[in-house]
Amino acid sequence: MEKTQVMVYFSLFGDDFPIDEVTKSLGITPTLTYKKGDPIPRHNSLNSLHPHYRKETAWDLSSGYQESYDVTEQMDQVFVPLKNQAAVINQLKENYHLQCKFFIVIKMENGHSPGLYLDNEQIEFASKVNAEFDIDLYANPYNDSFND
């Protein structure tokens, strides 16, 4: 049986910027980086006929997908290394015209949904770096009740 999974990641992104400089300035190794123009990996052969390319450069720090019923666990894995880096992030944003965002991705299995709670410290940090939150929810298995 599939288990509910959660992934949280923080992304610094923009048109084009030196990823190595961001890594050096933050002193944090990213979990994923890509450059504008890089091909987007596809998981099926139909999409390989029409390749897609990255429209921006990004530096991401991610928890990766983990079985979880509490988003706080994955949020802390990303937030804790970043929480004292607001000034550095803001300087990088200014220097390279970057934006930043927290992504929360929840894959719910069989109606088992995790708790989603952001504490004041996390909200304050997001405000300091002007980060938005993007929350994606996927409910599996999906049944289209309109056809019943």
Side-chain angles (χ1 to χ4, degrees), residues 91-146:
Q91 189 63 57
L92 290 165
K93 288 176 65 179
E94 184 178 325
N95 290 351
Y96 302 115
H97 309 287
L98 304 179
Q99 297 177 50
C100 61
K101 191 181 288 193
F102 281 97
F103 292 84
I104 300 170
V105 184
I106 301 170
K107 293 181 182 179
M108 294 178 286
E109 296 292 340
N110 300 308
H112 298 190
S113 60
L116 175 55
Y117 173 79
L118 302 173
D119 66 32
N120 287 333
E121 189 178 20
Q122 294 163 344
I123 293 167
E124 184 179 332
F125 173 82
S127 179
K128 282 181 183 176
V129 299
N130 199 29
E132 296 177 341
F133 287 91
D134 185 326
I135 302 170
D136 294 326
L137 304 171
Y138 301 96
N140 296 319
Y142 177 77
N143 294 320
D144 185 354
S145 61
F146 293 113

Side-chain angles (χ1 to χ4, degrees), residues 36-61:
K36 182 177 180 176
D38 286 351
I40 298 173
R42 296 296 181 182
H43 299 290
N44 64 42
S45 60
L46 293 177
N47 288 328
S48 66
L49 298 175
H50 303 286
H52 291 82
Y53 299 93
R54 302 286 186 178
K55 295 179 181 171
E56 60 199 8
T57 299
W59 180 101
D60 293 352
L61 182 63

Side-chain angles (χ1 to χ4, degrees), residues 2-49:
E2 295 289 320
K3 303 278 185 173
T4 294
Q5 295 187 332
V6 173
M7 175 175 61
V8 172
Y9 66 99
F10 175 80
S11 185
L12 276 165
F13 56 94
D15 187 48
D16 192 25
F17 61 92
I19 292 171
D20 291 341
E21 186 61 35
V22 171
T23 300
K24 181 180 172 185
S25 295
L26 290 171
I28 299 170
T29 302
T31 51
L32 175 69
T33 63
Y34 53 83
K35 299 289 277 176
K36 182 177 180 176
D38 286 351
I40 298 173
R42 296 296 181 182
H43 299 290
N44 64 42
S45 60
L46 293 177
N47 288 328
S48 66
L49 298 175

